[in-house]
Amino acid sequence: MTKTIYILNGPNLNLLGKRQPEIYGHETLDDVEAQCRGVADEFGLACNLMQSNHEGQIIDWIHEARQAAAGIIINPAALTHTSVAVMDALNAFEGPVLEVHISNVHKREPFRHHSYVSLRAEGVIAGFGIEGYALAMRRMGGLLA
Ligand code: DQA
């Protein structure tokens, strides 16, 4: 059976391409999805990209992933730095978790330097623009091979 990867995106990432393009670029979540789908095809994986501005919805999708997904790629956006609940949900997921940030969070304000999700993630990509998602998908393909 084809393995599915959940690609979860947190608050404000629906505005990707419009929001602070000097930091996050001009490409949209549709572009992210197209790039991830290309890599997923190479590895015989399926992917399901989702975005929510609501912490509880992200948590519900992580719970759903326990049955529905072999791995999770997550850009938790601001929840990265605040949400013990997202981290706890990821700790209840058994497959690999990869964390992506479009910007280089370590070059930004100190409050962006700490990530609760990094305490759970197998790997973290930051500052590669939206290419980070495709790189994470490639890594996921290797981890699940
Ligand atoms: C982000 C970085 C976060 O600090 C920020 O709150 C975001 C996006 C990134 O992709 O660079 O919303 O996760």
Side-chain angles (χ1 to χ4, degrees):
M1 217 178 67
T2 307
K3 292 176 180 165
T4 299
I5 309 307
Y6 272 17
I7 306 170
L8 301 179
N9 293 277
N12 302 306
L13 287 168
N14 53 313
L15 296 179
L16 191 61
K18 299 191 187 106
R19 162 203 189 206
Q20 296 183 280
E22 67 288 359
I23 296 176
Y24 299 112
H26 291 279
E27 288 155 305
T28 66
L29 270 190
D30 284 346
D31 297 320
V32 171
E33 187 165 28
Q35 290 188 13
C36 287
R37 212 166 285 288
V39 180
D41 286 351
E42 268 180 56
F43 284 90
L45 297 169
C47 62
N48 190 0
L49 184 142
M50 291 169 268
Q51 188 278 330
S52 177
N53 294 325
H54 305 282
E55 184 173 12
Q57 177 64 81
I58 301 283
I59 292 165
D60 286 345
W61 282 332
I62 295 169
H63 292 176
E64 183 185 293
R66 286 161 48 83
Q67 264 73 51
I72 295 176
I73 294 171
I74 184 166
N75 182 348
L79 297 174
T80 308
H81 320 297
T82 62
S83 182
V84 174
V86 168
M87 178 190 69
D88 282 350
L90 289 167
N91 279 329
F93 176 76
E94 287 181 3
V97 173
L98 300 176
E99 178 182 351
V100 173
H101 300 285
I102 297 162
S103 65
N104 181 0
V105 283
H106 300 291
K107 206 180 164 189
R108 300 181 65 191
E109 304 95 321
F111 66 82
R112 296 186 202 275
H113 298 177
H114 177 261
S115 166
Y116 285 103
V117 170
S118 292
L119 293 167
R120 164 64 180 89
E122 269 68 35
V124 183
I125 294 176
F128 284 67
I130 70 161
E131 197 183 337
Y133 289 87
L135 292 169
M137 185 57 102
R138 195 166 288 285
R139 174 70 178 154
M140 193 61 87
L143 289 172
L144 295 174

